[in-house]
Amino acid sequence: MGEFQVHRVRFFAYVPAGIRCVAHSPRSARLALARTDGALEVYNFAANYFQEKGIPGHETRSTEALCWAAGDRLFGAGLGGDISEYDLEKLRVKYSLDGFGGPIWSMAADPSGTQLAVGCEDGSVKLFQVLPDKIQFERSLDRQKGRVMSLSWHPSGTRIAVGSIDLLRVFDVKSGHAIQRILVDRRLQGLYSRECVVWSVAFLSDGTIVSSDSVGKVQFWDAEKGTLLETHPVSSSAVLCLAVSEEEDSIVVGTSEGAVYQFQLLPVKWGSAESKWVRTKPFQHHTHDVRAVAHSATALISGGLDAQLVIRPLMEKVHGKGYDAALRKFTFPHRRLVSCAKKAGLLLFQFPQHLELWRLGATNSAGKDGDILPVSRAPEHLLQLKSKGPEHICCSCISLCGSWIAYSTASRLHLHRVHLENGSVSVKRVSKVPKLLCSAHQLLCSADSTRLFVASDQGAVHVLKLLEPGGCGHLQTLRPNSGSAEAVYLLAASADGDWLAAAGGDWEINIYSLRHFKPHCTVPAYNCAVTALAIHPVTNNLVITHSDQQVFEFSIPDREYTTWSRKVQQHGLHKGWLERDMPITHITFNPKQPAHILLHDTHMFCILDKSLPLPDDATPLMNQTSLKQLSEKARRGHAHAFKICKKYQPLLFVDLLEEGSLVVVERPLMDIKTQLPPPVQQKKFGT
């Protein structure tokens, strides 16, 4: 693998926002997720659960409910009282409409996807019609006392079950009147009773209403008679959310204690036609409140205030070992939050509303493999750039020389000139940025720091000329021949300044000639999302990784896959590599070793040596720590292309500096948990 001097960085104090609500679309196999800071993420189940789209947060946006309607259209609503539709091509809020009922606590689409029902603070349930290009207010159901905390459509679309404080109601959609009123039990606390908040409801085809409440119970009700059928005490605190499978034979619930439970509809006796709901599987994958759950065909999905998205497979629904059989925990975004100025030894950290610039430490000592070297110069925090306004930062970059910093919000691109002299730092904002550049989804500086590439939401890439002492001008706009309007989210430029590769939301990779400012070619289509790409500084080969863990190498000058890439596809990658559950998020190269490709995900970084043979499935895909324990002869026998290191976890960034040292940015999960609010106190055995 070779030896590197490693800068082990743990001072990136990034804390991901908690998960507030989720919405699963069985039709498109996608999961939408809203965080407490207003950010939105879309995960594609068919692409190995890759986070294929993201919309940055907003200080005034508080999303309490998400739902899919009219096919693949996504709507959100929150405590601001607005209903918003998200543009998943341009990655922004398409429009917002006032619900005229105060803060919105719940929202659901009818089975046909043509109507939205929203539950408001003023006690009303309002219906909106979903039109081809907008939504339109239709009417209100009878207004009741108390805020509407939850609601659910009957699969027939004729009735709506509504949960509020101490009450369940059933509305007839046609008449708009409440046809059933059910009083739920309160909890006695001393001499007083505590109000019961119905946090979630589900209306089943057979007329059963399932409710979860702040008292800690999951209850089943007969909607026609208004009677209680079953009660299941689940938690000593609140049951905050529930979701039902499409077949209505399984329910998942989440509690404020961080626990997730599954209920299944099982026969009372073997072969009996009579069935009963039974609590079957408990899971404890969260440390804090589980605020949102979803139920796919093969997995239980949960998210909470600990910021973790957990996908727990249902083994009875999964056939064979593969992607669907892996337990997944996503804490960090599948995008880079760290940029590196390789020539200057600087790191740029991206936070929601500010950037931090740090200088890496240094040492004068040398040692053998595994030694921790004393630091002669400590890491230094040089600069903090704050973003004004309520919009969060969606992307950022720093030039390789460290002289330029660029970042973008949803509506504006910002460019700064940085001067580092004799230990002092000064920064100057470039005031005149071309007006056609409203925002960016990805930013990248050229290797010589003379150009800035700006990926727009129209599928185009703008090229800016960076001018001394501090200015910029528009050079050219590069557009794909296909006319795709999908936002570009990945960029890679060649070291010689001749080529630029861009990957968009439709998974198309376009390569542009920067000499002639026109499209050069398109990489042959592949039916999986692109997770990372980079151009080799010597060969100008484009290395691409996909969400199914495949690795391709494409020759830009020859406009075809390389011989090595074809050999990889013929031989096949190792089974252990393909069954990894985290996508590769960054690719870089070692100029001194042209055959080496450096890749990393959250759990490992790997040097892929093209000069060595690929391992077969019978060969252990051993990490470097295990290999060091073998004899020299045995080590040569295990030599293959994959050199994997799992010493550093979780990894947010790995890159090779110009002098040959490796910089590794970690974010330990325990550091994040110490900054979260305390969880619900639970009684432990023996305490």
Side-chain angles (χ1 to χ4, degrees):
M1 187 173 191
E3 290 188 1
F4 298 96
Q5 192 178 83
V6 179
H7 296 269
R8 192 172 188 177
V9 175
R10 289 191 168 189
F11 44 77
F12 181 23
Y14 171 72
V15 179
I19 296 171
R20 182 60 194 90
C21 52
V22 298
H24 175 237
S25 171
R27 171 177 167 174
S28 63
R30 283 174 168 84
L31 179 81
L33 175 155
R35 296 189 178 270
T36 53
D37 63 354
L40 179 86
E41 299 165 6
V42 177
Y43 292 80
N44 189 333
F45 288 11
N48 198 14
Y49 298 96
F50 178 63
Q51 182 191 321
E52 63 175 3
K53 298 179 186 294
I55 298 176
H58 196 283
E59 287 299 294
T60 63
R61 191 162 64 224
S62 173
T63 306
E64 288 288 320
L66 286 173
C67 71
W68 298 88
D72 297 334
R73 293 170 65 181
L74 181 63
F75 297 88
L79 300 184
D82 292 337
I83 306 167
S84 302
E85 182 175 359
Y86 297 98
D87 190 330
L88 297 181
E89 272 194 356
K90 299 178 180 178
L91 302 183
R92 64 186 183 190
V93 175
K94 192 173 183 179
Y95 62 84
S96 294
L97 184 69
D98 195 336
F100 296 105
I104 297 173
W105 291 93
S106 52
M107 177 174 61
D110 72 334
S112 66
T114 58
Q115 277 184 315
L116 293 180
V118 296
C120 304
E121 175 78 15
D122 65 357
S124 64
V125 175
K126 300 182 185 296
L127 302 182
F128 289 81
Q129 188 177 3
V130 181
L131 302 177
D133 57 346
K134 62 179 181 178
I135 59 172
Q136 180 176 292
F137 175 73
E138 190 174 343
R139 59 195 175 95
S140 290
L141 306 184
D142 284 352
R143 184 175 169 183
Q144 307 290 322
K145 185 178 180 181
R147 63 179 65 139
V148 177
M149 303 302 302
S150 53
L151 54 84
S152 176
W153 290 79
H154 187 269
S156 66
T158 58
R159 290 175 291 167
I160 298 176
V162 170
S164 57
I165 298 174
D166 294 333
L167 286 173
L168 278 170
R169 294 186 179 89
V170 180
F171 285 89
D172 180 79
V173 175
K174 187 176 181 179
S175 67
H177 301 317
I179 58 175
Q180 189 62 264
R181 182 178 182 273
I182 303 170
L183 187 67
V184 298
D185 292 336
R186 289 189 168 206
R187 172 184 287 178
L188 292 177
Q189 195 170 26
L191 299 175
Y192 305 96
S193 61
R194 194 176 70 184
E195 65 181 19
C196 179
V197 180
V198 181
W199 284 115
S200 189
V201 294
F203 211 157
L204 305 185
S205 301
D206 61 0
T208 302
I209 299 175
V210 189
S211 68
S212 66
D213 55 44
S214 61
V215 179
K217 298 193 299 289
V218 174
Q219 296 181 305
F220 296 81
W221 309 83
D222 186 324
E224 292 294 330
K225 300 177 181 178
T227 55
L228 179 63
L229 301 175
E230 297 180 43
T231 296
H232 296 266
V234 171
S235 171
S236 58
S237 52
V239 183
L240 298 171
C241 47
L242 67 84
V244 184
S245 66
E246 277 195 288
E247 295 81 9
E248 295 187 357
D249 59 355
S250 176
I251 295 174
V252 56
V253 301
T255 73
S256 59
E257 296 174 336
V260 174
Y261 298 94
Q262 184 188 11
F263 288 81
Q264 290 179 279
L265 188 61
L266 300 175
V268 176
K269 295 180 181 179
W270 179 261
S272 172
E274 184 184 355
S275 298
K276 186 177 181 180
W277 287 99
V278 180
R279 189 173 77 182
T280 55
K281 298 187 183 80
F283 307 111
Q284 186 77 43
H285 298 303
H286 298 273
T287 59
H288 290 66
D289 296 14
V290 177
R291 302 298 299 268
V293 291
H295 202 311
S296 74
T298 59
L300 307 179
I301 303 154
S302 58
L305 294 186
D306 59 1
Q308 285 200 114
L309 175 65
V310 178
I311 301 170
R312 172 81 188 196
L314 296 171
M315 300 311 295
E316 68 270 19
K317 303 283 188 179
V318 177
H319 303 287
K321 189 177 180 182
Y323 294 145
D324 294 336
L327 170 67
R328 301 165 193 272
K329 294 183 180 181
F330 297 134
T331 305
F332 303 103
H334 296 166
R335 300 283 188 275
R336 283 195 293 147
L337 299 174
V338 182
S339 301
C340 181
K342 297 183 181 181
K343 297 178 181 179
L346 304 176
L347 289 178
L348 183 71
F349 298 142
Q350 178 183 316
F351 294 86
Q353 289 196 291
H354 74 275
L355 303 174
E356 287 185 3
L357 182 64
W358 286 74
R359 178 187 280 127
L360 290 169
T363 182
N364 297 325
S365 305
K368 60 180 185 296
D369 185 24
D371 286 351
I372 299 175
L373 304 180
V375 176
S376 59
R377 189 189 73 226
E380 184 180 0
H381 184 198
L382 300 175
L383 181 68
Q384 185 181 86
L385 279 176
K386 291 185 178 180
S387 174
K388 295 181 180 178
E391 294 178 334
H392 288 186
I393 297 171
C394 55
C395 60
S396 60
C397 78
I398 185 171
S399 62
L400 295 188
C401 64
S403 299
W404 297 93
I405 292 177
Y407 72 92
S408 179
T409 62
S411 62
R412 189 175 179 185
L413 173 68
H414 301 261
L415 182 61
H416 291 80
R417 183 75 164 90
V418 180
H419 294 276
L420 296 170
E421 292 182 4
N422 302 324
S424 63
V425 185
S426 63
V427 61
K428 181 182 178 182
R429 184 173 66 88
V430 178
S431 57
K432 294 184 179 179
V433 177
K435 292 184 179 179
L436 61 96
L437 304 175
C438 296
S439 65
H441 296 290
Q442 184 71 5
L443 295 166
L444 179 69
C445 278
S446 62
D448 59 2
S449 302
T450 61
R451 293 176 178 178
L452 177 67
F453 305 108
V454 182
S456 76
D457 58 8
Q458 299 290 336
V461 180
H462 304 290
V463 184
L464 300 187
K465 179 74 173 177
L466 300 178
L467 306 171
E468 296 291 346
C472 69
H474 180 251
L475 273 181
Q476 192 61 260
T477 297
L478 306 172
R479 299 186 185 278
N481 287 329
S482 63
S484 171
E486 287 274 357
V488 172
Y489 67 94
L490 285 176
L491 291 172
S494 63
D496 58 12
D498 289 347
W499 308 106
L500 179 73
D506 54 1
W507 307 344
E508 182 180 86
I509 304 174
N510 292 285
I511 299 174
Y512 301 97
S513 169
L514 296 177
R515 285 188 176 182
H516 305 100
F517 291 110
K518 65 178 184 180
H520 173 68
C521 66
T522 301
V523 177
Y526 186 69
N527 62 345
C528 227
V530 183
T531 66
L533 48 82
I535 299 176
H536 198 286
V538 178
T539 63
N540 274 347
N541 291 334
L542 177 66
V543 178
I544 310 158
T545 59
H546 293 273
S547 59
D548 62 353
Q549 313 301 350
Q550 293 291 342
V551 181
F552 293 91
E553 187 181 48
F554 183 83
S555 173
I556 295 177
D558 298 335
R559 307 184 190 193
E560 64 179 9
Y561 287 116
T562 64
T563 304
W564 177 83
S565 185
R566 296 179 191 276
K567 286 181 180 178
V568 170
Q569 294 306 307
Q570 290 170 3
H571 182 279
L573 292 172
H574 194 282
K575 186 178 180 182
W577 176 268
L578 294 176
E579 289 178 353
R580 292 168 31 255
D581 57 356
M582 288 293 176
I584 297 295
T585 54
H586 185 221
I587 304 170
T588 190
F589 305 96
N590 184 0
K592 297 178 182 178
Q593 297 284 348
H596 288 184
I597 304 171
L598 280 72
L599 319 97
H600 84 86
D601 62 17
T602 309
H603 295 319
M604 65 91 207
F605 79 85
C606 171
I607 294 180
L608 183 54
D609 191 343
K610 298 188 330 185
S611 65
L612 292 176
L614 292 168
D616 54 27
D617 289 344
T619 303
L621 202 65
M622 302 174 71
N623 61 34
Q624 296 309 296
T625 305
S626 302
L627 282 176
K628 287 175 184 177
Q629 298 172 2
L630 302 178
S631 65
E632 186 67 29
K633 183 179 179 181
R635 200 179 306 170
R636 284 197 301 269
H638 285 87
H640 53 71
F642 290 94
K643 311 297 181 184
I644 296 174
C645 175
K646 295 186 177 182
K647 181 177 181 180
Y648 311 103
Q649 294 189 24
L651 280 175
L652 294 187
F653 184 75
V654 175
D655 209 347
L656 199 63
L657 300 181
E658 197 167 72
E659 75 272 12
S661 61
L662 201 67
V663 57
V664 173
V665 180
E666 295 176 282
R667 187 62 176 137
L669 295 179
M670 284 306 300
D671 291 356
I672 294 175
K673 290 177 182 178
T674 56
Q675 299 188 46
L676 296 176
V680 173
Q681 184 67 35
Q682 298 182 50
K683 177 69 175 176
K684 298 290 180 68
F685 177 77
T687 61

